[in-house]
C-alpha cells in the first residue's frame, strides 16, 4: 500500500512540475543576446549628479557599482532592473520586457544590437516581485503587476507612454495593463502568452479534451492547498524534477530542442534557488494568480485604441506544445483589434529565434505585418 501511495504522489508532483515548468521563460543568455549597456548615467544612480528635472526621483533609485540597479516603489519594495539597447536619453522607443514564470531580468531576447541601434530602442528588463533581486509582494495580484510596471516606468522617467512585451506567463501582467492603464501603453505584444482555463469566454468544446486543462487544475490545487509537498518535490533528490520536461519532445518541437542543446536547461527552480528566503512562496503566488479566476475576462475587453493610436499583438508558434495554437487562434477571433501572428515552425521558445524577435520589434514599433507570419486560419 505504501508503495502505491508513493507512486501516486510521484505522479501528482510530475504533473505539477510539468505545469510549472511549461510556463517558463528560460533564463541565461546565449551568444547572440543583446549586450547590456555600460554603467548607467546620472538618471539611474543615487551617487551621480542629477539634473533639476530628475532630482525628485533620486531618493527612489537604488544603485551602486557593486549592486544591481533598483527602484523603490511607493510601498517600500524594490524592483531590480537592467537596461539593453541604446541609452534612454537618445532612444526613439522605450520598451519594457516582462519575463515569464521562473525566469528573471537575465532572460534572453534575441534581437540584435544592430537593430536596436538602427531603430533607437531602449529595452528595460526587470525582476518581477519575488524574482531575482526584487523584493517579494505577499499581496501579489494582477492589479499589483500592472501597478509595478507603471511605477517602474515613472521612476525611470520613460514618459507618458511606453511599449510592453510579455513572455509566456509574463503575459498576465500585460492583460492587466490593457485593462487598467491602457492610456500608458504606446503598444503591447504578447509572445506565446499563457491561456487561463478559468476565463469565462473559453468554450468548453474547445478545452474539454485538452490535457493541459487538467494539469493546470492539478497544479493550482496542489500549489494552493499543499505548498509544502510542492516545495518537497522541487527540492528532493530521489526523483530529479528537472528531468520531467527538460528536452522532452512531448513539450518541445524540433526548434525548441535545438535551443535547449545550447542552454543550461531548466535549473531556475532547482534546490539552491528555492531554498533562498521567499523564492518558493513568490513563484507559487505568481502561478496561483496567473491561473486562478481573474477579476475580468480578457476576451471581453473592448478595443481601448479606437483611433489605432496604439497596437496590440499576439505572437504564437504553430508547433507550440505548451500553449495550444487552437486556443490562441480563438483569442484572436474574439479580439479582432489584436493583430495575430503565427510562426509556422515555431515552438514555445520564440524569444530564442533572432529573426522572430526582430519581427516582433518591427511589428510593435513600426507597425509592420510580415506575410510569413500571417496565419492560415482556414487551414
Amino acid at each position: 500500500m505504501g508503495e502505491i501511495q508513493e507512486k501516486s504522489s510521484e505522479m501528482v508532483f510530475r504533473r505539477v512540475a510539468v505545469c510549472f515548468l511549461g510556463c517558463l521563460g528560460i533564463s541565461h543568455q546565449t551568444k547572440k543576446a543583446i549586450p547590456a549597456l555600460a554603467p548607467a548615467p546620472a538618471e539611474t544612480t543615487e551617487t551621480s549628479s542629477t539634473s533639476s528635472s530628475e532630482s525628485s526621483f533620486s531618493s527612489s533609485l537604488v544603485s551602486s557599482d557593486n549592486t544591481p540597479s533598483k527602484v523603490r516603489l511607493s510601498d517600500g519594495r524594490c524592483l531590480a532592473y537592467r537596461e539593453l539597447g541604446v541609452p534612454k536619453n537618445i532612444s526613439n522607443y522605450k520598451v519594457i520586457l516582462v519575463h515569464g514564470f521562473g525566469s528573471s531580468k537575465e532572460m534572453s531576447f534575441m534581437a540584435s544590437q544592430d537593430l536596436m541601434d538602427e531603430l533607437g530602442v531602449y529595452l528595460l528588463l526587470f525582476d518581477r516581485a519575488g524574482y531575482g533581486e526584487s523584493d517579494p509582494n505577499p499581496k501579489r495580484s494582477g492589479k499589483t503587476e500592472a501597478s509595478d510596471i507603471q511605477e517602474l516606468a515613472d521612476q525611470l522617467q520613460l514618459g507618458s507612454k511606453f511599449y510592453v512585451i510579455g513572455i509566456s506567463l509574463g503575459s498576465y501582467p500585460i492583460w492587466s495593463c490593457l485593462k487598467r492603464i491602457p492610456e500608458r501603453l504606446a503598444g503591447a505584444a504578447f509572445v506565446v502568452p499563457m491561456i487561463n482555463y478559468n476565463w469565462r469566454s473559453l468554450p468548453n468544446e474547445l478545452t474539454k479534451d485538452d490535457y493541459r486543462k487538467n494539469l493546470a487544475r492539478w497544479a493550482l490545487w496542489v500549489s494552493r492547498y499543499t505548498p509544502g509537498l510542492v516545495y518537497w518535490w522541487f527540492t528532493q533528490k530521489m526523483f530529479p524534477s528537472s528531468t520531467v520536461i527538460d528536452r522532452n519532445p512531448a513539450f518541445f518541437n524540433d526548434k525548441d530542442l535545438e535551443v535547449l542543446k545550447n542552454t543550461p536547461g531548466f535549473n531556475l527552480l532547482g534546490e539552491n534557488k528555492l531554498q533562498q528566503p521567499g523564492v518558493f512562496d513568490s513563484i507559487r503566488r505568481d502561478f496561483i494568480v496567473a491561473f486562478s479566476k481573474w477579476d475580468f475576462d480578457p476576451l471581453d475587453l473592448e478595443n481601448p485604441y479606437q483611433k489605432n493610436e496604439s497596437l496590440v499583438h499576439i505572437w504564437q508558434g504553430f508547433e507550440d506544445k505548451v500553449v495550444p495554437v487552437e486556443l490562441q487562434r480563438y483569442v484572436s477571433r474574439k479580439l479582432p483589434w489584436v493583430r495575430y501572428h503565427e510562426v509556422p515552425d515555431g515552438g514555445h521558445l520564440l524569444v530564442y529565434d533572432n529573426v522572430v524577435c526582430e519581427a516582433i520589434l518591427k511589428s510593435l514599433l513600426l507597425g509592420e505585418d510580415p506575410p510569413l507570419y500571417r496565419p492560415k486560419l482556414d487551414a
Side-chain angles (χ1 to χ4, degrees):
M1 179 67 69
E3 182 180 353
I4 294 175
Q5 290 178 339
E6 181 178 335
K7 289 183 178 180
S8 176
S9 297
E10 180 184 351
M11 290 177 63
V12 170
F13 290 119
R14 283 182 179 273
R15 290 175 176 177
V16 173
V18 165
C19 277
F20 270 54
L21 295 176
C23 298
L24 276 175
I26 302 177
S27 186
H28 302 288
Q29 291 188 308
T30 54
K31 295 180 180 180
K32 295 182 180 179
I34 309 163
L37 293 173
E43 57 195 3
T44 58
T45 63
E46 284 186 316
T47 55
S48 303
S49 60
T50 57
S51 66
S52 59
S53 63
E54 297 168 341
S55 59
S56 61
F57 290 87
S58 61
S59 62
S60 298
L61 299 173
V62 183
S63 181
S64 74
D65 292 338
N66 299 317
T67 60
S69 299
K70 294 184 178 182
V71 297
R72 184 173 290 111
L73 306 178
S74 57
D75 63 3
R77 290 182 296 117
C78 287
L79 293 181
Y81 65 91
R82 71 182 182 118
E83 301 163 295
L84 304 178
V86 304
K88 180 172 54 181
N89 61 337
I90 63 170
S91 65
N92 298 321
Y93 305 100
K94 298 174 178 64
V95 183
I96 298 178
L97 191 66
V98 184
H99 68 76
F101 179 82
S103 190
S104 73
K105 66 181 183 301
E106 306 303 325
M107 67 164 290
S108 296
F109 186 75
M110 302 296 288
S112 68
Q113 183 66 41
D114 288 343
L115 180 66
M116 295 289 193
D117 292 339
E118 176 187 344
L119 299 182
V121 177
Y122 165 84
L123 188 62
L124 178 67
L125 299 89
F126 71 103
D127 290 329
R128 295 197 291 121
Y131 284 99
E133 293 150 316
S134 289
D135 295 333
N137 183 1
K139 299 180 180 179
R140 168 180 253 133
S141 67
K143 184 176 181 179
T144 65
E145 291 289 306
S147 177
D148 283 1
I149 291 172
Q150 182 175 21
E151 279 203 67
L152 178 67
D154 289 342
Q155 295 284 6
L156 295 179
Q157 298 182 300
L158 300 193
S160 59
K161 286 181 177 287
F162 49 88
Y163 296 86
V164 289
I165 300 175
I167 312 296
S168 194
L169 189 132
S171 61
Y172 85 82
I174 308 302
W175 285 119
S176 187
C177 287
L178 285 173
K179 170 68 175 177
R180 295 175 170 89
I181 56 169
E183 72 283 354
R184 298 298 306 274
L185 304 184
F190 297 90
V191 182
V192 293
M194 51 80 67
I195 297 289
N196 185 344
Y197 290 92
N198 282 308
W199 292 347
R200 297 185 304 272
S201 298
L202 284 179
N204 183 60
E205 61 268 20
L206 198 59
T207 64
K208 64 180 180 179
D209 296 325
D210 188 344
Y211 69 92
R212 303 169 190 84
K213 182 177 182 179
N214 290 329
L215 288 175
R217 286 177 173 174
W218 266 106
L220 187 61
W221 189 92
V222 176
S223 301
R224 179 175 284 150
Y225 297 111
T226 60
L229 295 179
V230 179
Y231 178 81
W232 170 84
W233 169 249
F234 281 113
T235 57
Q236 54 76 37
K237 298 180 180 179
M238 290 188 298
F239 312 106
S241 58
S242 63
T243 64
V244 174
I245 69 166
D246 196 6
R247 298 170 178 82
N248 188 335
F251 299 96
F252 299 106
N253 75 338
D254 291 341
K255 291 193 72 172
D256 288 343
L257 293 174
E258 283 299 315
V259 167
L260 292 174
K261 289 180 181 178
N262 301 310
T263 68
F266 295 94
N267 58 1
L268 293 175
L269 301 184
E271 178 181 358
N272 294 336
K273 293 287 186 181
L274 288 179
Q275 288 182 348
Q276 296 175 6
V279 172
F280 173 76
D281 280 339
S282 291
I283 63 174
R284 183 177 69 91
R285 289 193 189 98
D286 191 28
F287 185 85
I288 290 174
V289 170
F291 287 99
S292 296
K293 291 183 178 179
W294 297 4
D295 62 345
F296 70 99
D297 186 337
L299 304 187
D300 290 336
L301 288 177
E302 296 183 359
N303 185 2
Y305 309 115
Q306 298 289 342
K307 298 180 180 179
N308 292 323
E309 62 270 33
S310 298
L311 295 176
V312 181
H313 304 258
I314 288 179
W315 287 80
Q316 173 68 23
F318 178 75
E319 298 180 5
D320 191 335
K321 298 182 181 182
V322 176
V323 181
V325 68
E326 295 82 7
L327 288 185
Q328 216 69 272
R329 288 179 171 185
Y330 180 81
V331 171
S332 72
R333 290 194 294 268
K334 288 285 289 184
L335 302 174
W337 47 273
V338 174
R339 294 190 177 186
Y340 179 64
H341 312 271
E342 201 169 274
V343 181
D345 59 349
H348 196 65
L349 304 183
L350 293 186
V351 292
Y352 278 91
D353 189 316
N354 176 264
V355 175
V356 172
C357 283
E358 295 196 351
I360 291 171
L361 276 184
K362 290 178 180 179
S363 67
L364 177 63
L365 305 179
L366 306 179
E368 292 187 3
D369 184 17
L372 176 62
Y373 304 125
R374 291 175 188 166
K376 297 179 181 180
L377 296 180
D378 294 331

